[in-house]
Amino acid sequence: MKRVLRESFQIQRAPLELGFAARCTIGVALPLLFSLLSGHPGWGVGSAVGALCVGFASRQGVYRTRVAAMLLTAAGMAISTFAGAMAGVHPIAIAFVTAIWAFAYGLVASLGQAATIVGQNSVLALVIFSAYAFTPAEAAVQALLLFGGGLFQMLLLVGVWPLQRFSSERSALAQIYRNLAAYARQLPTAT
């Protein structure tokens, strides 16, 4: 029991990526700051939510597939925001939309971890924004703000990729070559 408790409160510093955390924080904080300075503090919330979720989605896959995960997360959340905001005030409509989203999430989750993150964030946006009564124009604005915040976060994260060493890609390529070498060693030698 002592070992379990000790390991539960132990912080592993090796996987911490402070640069990534700083970029994600900036991606969430700047929309909030700009909306506050513009006199419309509520507008920054949707953008910050989009930026936060896209930041989490950016940890899925490797170099090329991360962009797809981030774009699909932003788009899925924007669509879900609009659908939730429109259906949320009508009990039958929200039940119908929730059933469709649950079914779609089940299908998407079978496609892998990155798709699961996209679906999970989309369902989250549906749930959050179905709690508010928006007009169609307000719902569209919130969806666009959320999508814009996600795109902003994606640009912040993708903008520094050329400066990185691409450890995930290098590890995957190294494993492929190790597997190829092991296969070649098992081939019978011909005379």
Side-chain angles (χ1 to χ4, degrees), residues 139-160:
V141 167
Q142 286 300 317
L144 287 173
L145 287 170
L146 192 140
F147 186 71
L151 286 181
F152 177 66
Q153 182 72 278
M154 185 189 77
L155 291 175
L156 282 177
L157 296 172
V158 171
V160 298

Side-chain angles (χ1 to χ4, degrees), residues 110-122:
S110 69
L111 298 176
Q113 185 176 359
T116 300
I117 296 298
V118 171
Q120 185 177 22
N121 284 312
S122 298

Side-chain angles (χ1 to χ4, degrees), residues 69-88:
M70 289 186 281
L71 279 174
L72 289 172
T73 297
M77 289 184 70
I79 292 166
S80 298
T81 296
F82 186 78
M86 291 290 83

